[in-house]
Amino acid sequence: MDSALASDSGVYLPRTVRTAAKLLVVGHFGVGKTTFVGSLSEIRPLRTEETMTQAGAHVDDLAGLDGKTTTTVAMDFGRITLSDSLVLYLFGAPGQQRFTRLWLDMTHGALGALVLADTRRLDQSFDVMGLLEEHGLPYAVAVNHFDDAPAFPEEEIREALDLLPETPLVTCDARDRISATRALITLVDHLHARTAQEPV
């Protein structure tokens, strides 16, 4: 493919890009990470989804996940070009505990993480947030909207998740590009504010 044509089609980065930032999209099993990355990515996202089998039934809790037939076994990857010189790389990590070692390796070089949460299973977010805190990775929380999920006031969700006052909390619909973009902007703003507060 001609390089100019490839650049125009968005497959390759413009030659003007000088800065790349790595962000993680994490959360428990079935919370919508693959959908979120796919909604935002300007390129065809890399997905490592495999069909779930009966052999995994005893390790993957499908309660409340009617219709889910696939699971991420490595990562999701997407890209967003913010300007002629800046690009964001999104890495979606698998949610099951057996993949914890894999996604902890993905934290290397990441600026921060967006934690997706589901109001039907908020308790399952604790392990994810605990690992991020253990590794010193700042994060924001986005409650992903599911049609059959109960809605709660923000203060109740904050209390249930035991969030610090400075930890951003937003709601989003991972299926909707605009909504997902707003959630990602919340994380980027949080990371920028933290950087501004750090001593020189």
Side-chain angles (χ1 to χ4, degrees):
M1 179 182 289
D2 178 81
S3 60
L5 179 61
S7 179
D8 290 343
S9 68
V11 175
Y12 300 112
L13 288 174
R15 294 186 180 92
T16 54
V17 170
R18 296 290 178 266
T19 305
K22 176 181 179 182
L23 299 175
L24 302 187
V25 179
V26 299
H28 57 72
F29 174 60
V31 77
K33 301 176 295 294
T34 297
T35 301
F36 186 91
V37 173
S39 294
L40 284 175
S41 182
E42 67 194 15
I43 59 173
R44 182 178 179 181
L46 168 67
R47 291 178 172 158
T48 57
E49 284 196 303
E50 294 293 340
T51 301
M52 300 178 68
T53 64
Q54 190 62 36
H58 66 288
V59 290
D60 294 332
D61 182 6
L62 291 172
L65 299 174
D66 294 340
K68 184 169 179 61
T69 59
T70 62
T71 184
T72 299
V73 296
M75 68 175 183
D76 301 304
F77 173 78
R79 187 187 79 198
I80 307 172
T81 303
L82 295 184
S83 69
D84 290 340
S85 61
L86 176 61
V87 65
L88 292 182
Y89 291 119
L90 300 180
F91 288 78
Q96 299 95 314
Q97 286 192 346
R98 66 181 184 275
F99 294 119
T100 298
R101 181 69 263 169
L102 171 65
W103 79 256
L104 285 180
D105 289 340
M106 291 166 58
T107 64
H108 296 296
L111 297 182
L114 184 68
V115 178
L116 293 187
D118 178 352
T119 57
R120 298 169 299 181
R121 298 176 292 153
L122 285 177
D123 59 308
Q124 295 185 25
S125 298
F126 287 115
D127 288 341
V128 174
M129 294 187 299
L131 287 168
L132 292 173
E133 291 168 1
E134 182 181 330
H135 287 77
L137 199 65
Y139 63 89
V141 177
V143 175
N144 190 16
H145 171 75
F146 289 89
D147 294 336
D148 60 343
F152 299 104
E154 178 179 328
E155 58 270 20
E156 289 187 20
I157 296 176
R158 279 191 166 278
E159 183 177 355
L161 292 175
D162 195 25
L163 297 181
L164 295 173
E166 62 268 25
T167 301
L169 173 65
V170 296
T171 58
C172 76
D173 185 335
R175 301 166 296 185
D176 181 77
R177 181 180 178 85
I178 294 175
S179 180
T181 298
R182 288 174 180 151
L184 192 66
I185 288 172
T186 297
L187 171 62
V188 172
D189 285 345
H190 176 55
L191 298 176
H192 184 266
R194 283 174 54 95
T195 301
Q197 293 171 2
E198 291 177 356
V200 179

